[in-house]
Amino acid sequence: MELQLAIDLVNTEEAIKLVKEVEEHIDIVEIGTPVVINEGLRAVKEMKKAFPNLKVLADLKIMDAAGYEVMKASEAGADIITILGAAEDASIQGAVDEAKKQNKKILVDMIAIKDIETRAKELDELGVDYICVHTGYDLQAVGKNSFEDLKAIKGVVKNAKTAVAGGIKLETLPEVVAAQPDLVIVGGGITGQDDKKATAAEIQKLVKQS
């Protein structure tokens, strides 16, 4: 089980500073969509340069022109690139093909997908690397989480790794790891804490025990 740190609401320099605090406790650092919108793929490039031993995920949430966008993120140094589960199969396939060419990985974000199981099965057959159930900010605000969805996709996915994101904190982590995802994605549960390093260490311990 791997731990990914999601960074959303800072600039590149602040993001690098933040990762320095916790780098020994994480496997993947995510350049979140707001950072990509504000700073462009430069943020990915700078992060990879600063932490060559960490995997970097570019959260592009691709919806179209997937091959081109995966190529650009790969050139910037991303190891994993995200596409939306709601994208056309042709776009998913384009992303998968380009990622294979570049020796990168594709993570599909299932945000807003209604029939999670059916779509997860289809995506698995298209050869994606990760399928991620994700409760976004707007639904977290009304108390939703992704744990049931995680159990649902675990039941149907045969090849892809499973991931979970959205509002995960130290307190809710035991429930998450019990469902055995391959990748646990934590944002504010680390970045919003006073002692980020200690929190990341605790979360890592739980993740690696599982």
Side-chain angles (χ1 to χ4, degrees):
M1 204 180 288
E2 289 190 301
L3 176 59
Q4 176 172 311
L5 175 69
I7 297 178
D8 284 319
L9 301 173
V10 293
N11 63 32
T12 304
E13 289 64 36
E14 290 164 340
I16 288 170
K17 209 173 122 198
L18 209 156
V19 174
K20 270 194 184 124
E21 283 187 62
V22 300
E23 64 172 308
E24 67 195 275
H25 302 300
I26 62 172
D27 303 293
I28 302 168
V29 57
E30 170 188 332
I31 302 295
T33 316
V35 181
V36 177
I37 287 168
N38 290 328
E39 310 256 323
L41 286 169
R42 177 185 82 87
V44 173
K45 193 177 275 180
E46 296 293 325
M47 188 61 77
K48 192 65 186 175
K49 201 166 88 182
F51 304 99
N53 298 326
L54 282 180
K55 286 185 269 191
V56 175
L57 176 140
D59 190 16
L60 300 191
K61 292 190 174 75
I62 294 169
M63 193 66 182
D64 189 28
Y68 175 78
E69 292 186 7
V70 168
M71 179 181 74
K72 286 293 158 197
S74 301
E75 285 170 4
D79 301 287
I80 307 168
I81 300 106
T82 68
I83 187 165
L84 292 173
E88 302 285 358
D89 285 0
S91 300
I92 306 274
Q93 197 62 67
V96 168
D97 293 347
E98 186 60 33
K100 282 201 169 73
K101 210 188 292 177
Q102 304 277 354
N103 204 17
K104 307 295 185 182
K105 305 271 190 228
I106 295 296
L107 179 144
V108 179
D109 187 334
M110 299 292 272
I111 195 166
I113 296 288
K114 297 285 182 265
D115 185 350
I116 290 261
E117 285 184 37
T118 302
R119 191 58 179 145
K121 211 185 259 180
E122 292 166 354
L123 292 163
D124 198 30
E125 283 162 13
L126 288 167
V128 305
D129 301 288
Y130 294 89
I131 298 173
C132 179
V133 291
H134 181 193
T135 304
Y137 279 121
D138 299 337
L139 281 188
Q140 284 173 45
V142 293
K144 295 268 195 297
N145 69 48
S146 304
F147 312 150
E148 288 307 315
D149 289 342
L150 175 59
K151 287 176 196 156
I153 67 163
K154 287 285 292 185
V156 296
V157 169
K158 292 189 170 54
N159 305 305
K161 291 182 171 179
T162 56
V164 59
I168 298 168
K169 307 176 187 64
L170 195 50
E171 308 80 78
T172 55
L173 195 60
E175 193 183 348
V176 175
V177 296
Q180 290 289 297
D182 299 291
L183 176 61
V184 176
I185 302 170
V186 181
I190 292 172
T191 61
Q193 307 308 304
D194 293 333
D195 193 338
K196 296 170 185 53
K197 190 178 169 62
T199 306
E202 282 291 308
I203 288 176
Q204 180 194 39
K205 204 166 106 184
L206 273 173
V207 164
K208 296 300 176 191
Q209 275 169 2
S210 303

